[in-house]
């Protein structure tokens, strides 16, 4: 900020940043606020007990989830979700890199991968229950069984799409295999890997809920199903809103991590657009 006699001048760049921030906040909050207002108007004009107003749901949210239920249901669900996503990333990136770098292995496994990927993961829950029992391990395995595929397939395509000129140049300079892997293969495939992780997060959240609805005595999925079976409608809606909030939080955290990991990639795109 620059001061002159009788007036204060704000630099245009700082003012533009402030305008962009305000516009971003309005864009992010405008539609949710509008939907809440419409929801409240519709709820006041209906007599259905299955469509409570936002104030009733907010009261049920505080009464249900602020307290012991957060520790007994929410935290264990988030822990299983985190373990499932972490295991999916490790398995998907490791197996996808090996398959992508090995043409004959890729051709050999492609039919099998397409077959297994086409099997809906919820169908495997009874099988997992028989093999692993009704345990947290079973629920994590169910999450991994669905979330690993977007990461695996995107990693394979990302590794396959590496410029052959870069690979040949690295070999010409006698770059070791591990150095090519860490400084060429994985960075070049990282945009596709991150796209797969983004898809896997939504799949993992869905499977976390489904696995808890099938066989569990605690967790978000179990609580929502319990509220539905006992006609606790406001509490059921509060659980659905909590799941939506978890999804938004995952998206925000992933966006921050993605911008950090792919900073070089976004920089190249900005230069190409300029």
């Amino acid at each position: 900020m620059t001061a002159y006699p009788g007036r204060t001048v704000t630099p245009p760049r700082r003012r533009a940043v402030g305008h962009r921030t305000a516009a971003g906040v309005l864009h992010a909050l405008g539609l949710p606020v509008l939907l809440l207002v419409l929801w409240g108007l519709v709820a006041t004009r209906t007599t259905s007990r299955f469509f409570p107003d936002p104030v009733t749901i907010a009261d049920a949210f505080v009464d249900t989830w602020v307290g012991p239920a957060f520790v007994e249901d929410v935290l264990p669900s988030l822990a299983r979700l985190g373990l499932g996503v972490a295991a999916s990333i490790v398995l998907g990136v490791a197996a996808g890199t090996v398959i992508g770098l090995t043409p004959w292995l890729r051709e050999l496994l492609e039919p099998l991968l397409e077959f297994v990927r086409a099997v809906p993961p919820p169908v495997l829950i009874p099988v997992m229950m028989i093999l692993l029992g009704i345990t947290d391990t079973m629920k994590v395995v169910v999450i991994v069984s669905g979330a690993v595929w977007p990461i695996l397939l995107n990693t394979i395509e990302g590794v396959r799409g590496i410029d052959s000129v870069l690979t040949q140049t690295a070999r010409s300079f006698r770059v070791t295999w591990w150095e090519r892997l860490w400084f060429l293969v994985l960075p070049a495939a990282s945009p596709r890997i991150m796209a797969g992780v983004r898809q896997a997060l939504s799949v993992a959240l869905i499977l976390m809920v489904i696995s808890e609805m099938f066989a569990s005595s605690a967790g978000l999925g179990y609580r929502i199903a319990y509220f539905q079976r006992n006609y606790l409608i406001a509490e059921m809606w509060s659980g659905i809103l909590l799941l939506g909030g978890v999804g938004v939080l995952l998206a925000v955290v992933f966006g921050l991590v993605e911008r950090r990991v792919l900073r070089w990639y976004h920089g190249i795109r900005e230069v190409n657009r300029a």
Side-chain angles (χ1 to χ4, degrees), residues 30-71:
L31 182 59
V33 171
L34 178 61
L35 291 177
L36 284 176
V37 172
L38 292 176
W39 189 343
L41 292 176
V42 173
T44 57
R45 295 177 178 272
T46 181
T47 58
S48 174
R49 66 187 300 265
F50 300 108
F51 196 72
D53 61 89
V55 176
T56 302
I57 296 175
D59 292 338
F61 186 96
V62 174
D63 295 338
T64 303
W65 303 110
V66 178
F70 184 80
V71 177

Side-chain angles (χ1 to χ4, degrees), residues 173-190:
F173 282 94
R174 299 181 181 273
V175 178
T176 64
W177 188 88
W178 282 106
E179 289 175 338
R180 290 203 306 270
L181 177 65
W182 286 109
F183 299 108
L184 174 60
V185 175
L186 291 179
S190 58

Side-chain angles (χ1 to χ4, degrees), residues 65 68-77 80 217-220 222-223:
W65 303 110
F70 184 80
V71 177
E72 297 171 0
D73 295 310
V74 179
L75 291 183
S77 294
R80 289 189 287 267
S217 59
L220 276 171
Y222 165 77
R223 285 296 173 190

Side-chain angles (χ1 to χ4, degrees), residues 73-150:
D73 295 310
V74 179
L75 291 183
S77 294
L78 295 180
R80 289 189 287 267
L81 176 65
L83 287 174
V85 171
S88 299
I89 293 173
V90 173
L91 292 175
V93 173
T97 302
V98 173
I99 296 172
L101 291 174
T102 313
W104 67 266
L105 183 60
R106 184 171 61 245
E107 295 176 1
L108 177 66
L109 294 179
E110 185 172 4
L112 179 62
L113 292 177
E114 293 297 328
F115 173 81
V116 178
R117 183 175 69 92
V119 177
V123 177
L124 301 175
I125 292 179
V127 178
M128 300 297 181
M129 291 172 58
I130 294 173
L131 296 177
L132 302 174
I134 304 176
T135 61
D136 288 345
T137 302
M138 180 274 293
K139 298 165 190 172
V140 173
V141 171
V142 169
I143 294 173
V144 174
S145 67
V148 71
W149 296 108

Side-chain angles (χ1 to χ4, degrees), residues 163-230:
D163 191 351
S164 59
V165 175
L166 294 177
T167 303
Q168 294 299 328
T169 303
R171 289 175 178 171
S172 302
F173 282 94
R174 299 181 181 273
V175 178
T176 64
W177 188 88
W178 282 106
E179 289 175 338
R180 290 203 306 270
L181 177 65
W182 286 109
F183 299 108
L184 174 60
V185 175
L186 291 179
S190 58
R192 295 296 299 266
I193 294 174
M194 297 303 290
V197 174
R198 180 185 292 275
Q199 298 172 20
L201 288 176
S202 59
V203 174
L205 185 60
I206 294 171
L207 291 176
M208 178 200 76
V209 176
I210 294 176
S211 66
E212 293 173 349
M213 285 181 171
F214 265 81
S216 182
S217 59
L220 276 171
Y222 165 77
R223 285 296 173 190
I224 293 174
Y226 173 83
F227 294 146
Q228 181 266 329
R229 289 192 297 267
N230 290 275

